Structures are given as structure tokens and as C-alpha cells.
């Protein structure tokens, strides 16, 4: 068997064909450098990993995404509000066409009103769950994703996000405070994002 060859730092590596010394668990001794020609030894094979190489959690900001800012999110909210208002006008016109005389309300008009109310209440959560975005968010390139892995939100997370979102929207000071806090957050998360474990990203 060929003798070990010295390295620049005084340690040695084995000549080609010689055995790789170890402590019995497959771990080379300290200062032992693997020479060219030997297959690489991976950390799992050694049974340990240095702290500097600990796995990094997946980021929701994949290629082509960045955190969605508060300004652009507010713009998406205005577009959604305009869309909902337009549907209210259409529903009102339909109710007027099928409504009874005076203050009487026909079953058809009541059905139209109930359908519109259901649409308004389900618009945001259904859009987030099915499309990852509302119409306003899609128009501005925004998507709502899970913070942990960047995937779509589940049913429970969507509803939690919507409930907190409604509280922030209906109580004006809370919405302003949440927006101010999100503006200083590195990934622009509001209270409803924190509650649901979500994040809003923008297509680049």
C-alpha cells in the first residue's frame, strides 16, 4: 500500500487505493483532507452536520416574487371595493325590475338580495382559496400564499384571515394601525397575515 502524502498544512491524505482512516463511524479525523479522486462524503453519511450548514426554511418568495407593499395592497382593495359596488348597482337594478309596487318586496327580489349578500360575504375568502387572489390583487400582480412554504392557503387559514381582515376593515382605527405596523415589517405582514400564517407577494 502506498504511503500517505503530506498536505500543505502538515496533515496527510491517503495515496490512491489506500483506505480512508476514520473513527469507526465513517468520520475522518480532524484535519484530514479528502484528495481528488475519492468520492465525496456527504454530511448525512458522516452522521453529523456543522451548524453553519443547518437547513434553511423554504421562502415563499420564489423566483419572480417579492413582498407586496402596503400601497399596492391598498390599491387592490380599492379595485375590489369598486367591483363589489358595481355588483350592488346591478343587483339593485334587478331588484327594481322584479320588485313589487311601493314598499312590497317580491320573493324574486328577496332572492336577488340574498344571492348578492352571499356573494359579498364569500368574495374574498373564496378568491383567496381558489385563485390565491381577488380581482384587485390579480390586476396588480399580487398573490396570497402560506408564509411557511409559499403554497396556497388552506380552508381554515383562509377563513381566519378573512375574519381578522373584516375586523380591521370595519373598525377604521384598527386598519390604520395594522397598515402602519405592516409597513415596517420586512415582509409586509398585517394582523390578518400574522393570524393566518400568510404573506402577500408580488409578481416581478
Amino acid at each position: 500500500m502506498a504511503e500517505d502524502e503530506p498536505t500543505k498544512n502538515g496533515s496527510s491524505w491517503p495515496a490512491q487505493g489506500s483506505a480512508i482512516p476514520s473513527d469507526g463511524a465513517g468520520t475522518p479525523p480532524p484535519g484530514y483532507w479528502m484528495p481528488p479522486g475519492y468520492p465525496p462524503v456527504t454530511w448525512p453519511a458522516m452522521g453529523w452536520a456543522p451548524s453553519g450548514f443547518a437547513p434553511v426554511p423554504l421562502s415563499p418568495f420564489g423566483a419572480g416574487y417579492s413582498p407586496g407593499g402596503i400601497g399596492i395592497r391598498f390599491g387592490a382593495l380599492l379595485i375590489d371595493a369598486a367591483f363589489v359596488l358595481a355588483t350592488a348597482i346591478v343587483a339593485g337594478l334587478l331588484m327594481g325590475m322584479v320588485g313589487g309596487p311601493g314598499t312590497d318586496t317580491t320573493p324574486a327580489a328577496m332572492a336577488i338580495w340574498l344571492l348578492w349578500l352571499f356573494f359579498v360575504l364569500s368574495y374574498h375568502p373564496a378568491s383567496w382559496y381558489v385563485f390565491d387572489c381577488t380581482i384587485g390583487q390579480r390586476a396588480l400582480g399580487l398573490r396570497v400564499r402560506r408564509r411557511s412554504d409559499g403554497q396556497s392557503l388552506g380552508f381554515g387559514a383562509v377563513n381566519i384571515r378573512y375574519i381578522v381582515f373584516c375586523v380591521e376593515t370595519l373598525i377604521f382605527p384598527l386598519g390604520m394601525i395594522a397598515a402602519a405596523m405592516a409597513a415596517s415589517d420586512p415582509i409586509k405582514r398585517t394582523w390578518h397575515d400574522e393570524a393566518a400564517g400568510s404573506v402577500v407577494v408580488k409578481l416581478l
Side-chain angles (χ1 to χ4, degrees):
M1 181 180 298
E3 295 183 357
D4 290 357
E5 301 173 8
T7 61
K8 292 181 180 179
N9 62 6
S11 61
S12 62
W13 69 57
Q16 287 285 353
S18 62
I20 301 174
S22 70
D23 58 2
T27 305
Y32 207 87
W33 189 78
M34 297 297 294
Y38 282 92
V41 180
T42 60
W43 300 123
M46 290 184 174
W48 64 280
S51 59
F53 290 89
V56 178
L58 292 175
S59 169
F61 312 128
Y65 288 91
S66 67
I70 299 303
I72 192 171
R73 291 172 65 173
F74 182 70
L77 189 61
L78 291 179
I79 294 175
D80 288 327
F83 173 67
V84 171
L85 179 61
T87 62
I89 294 173
V90 172
L93 292 175
L94 291 176
M95 290 176 64
M97 293 172 58
V98 301
T103 58
D104 294 337
T105 302
T106 64
M110 180 61 68
I112 292 173
W113 182 81
L114 290 175
L115 286 173
W116 178 82
L117 182 62
F118 174 78
F119 163 77
V120 170
L121 294 177
S122 61
Y123 170 67
H124 277 87
S127 297
W128 293 335
Y129 184 72
V130 177
F131 305 109
D132 295 340
C133 59
T134 62
I135 290 177
Q137 289 171 333
R138 178 172 289 274
L140 299 181
L142 299 174
R143 299 294 184 272
V144 180
R145 299 287 172 81
R146 274 202 308 254
R147 171 67 181 92
S148 59
D149 56 11
Q151 300 301 310
S152 300
L153 295 182
F155 182 79
V158 162
N159 284 280
I160 291 173
R161 190 177 198 273
Y162 181 59
I163 291 172
V164 181
F165 169 77
C166 287
V167 173
E168 293 175 8
T169 303
L170 296 176
I171 303 177
F172 181 74
L174 289 182
M176 296 295 292
I177 295 172
M181 294 179 65
S184 61
D185 186 79
I187 55 177
K188 311 304 179 187
R189 289 202 297 175
T190 59
W191 287 338
H192 49 279
D193 288 318
E194 293 281 357
S198 63
V199 66
V200 178
V201 294
K202 186 183 185 306
L203 294 169
L204 297 177

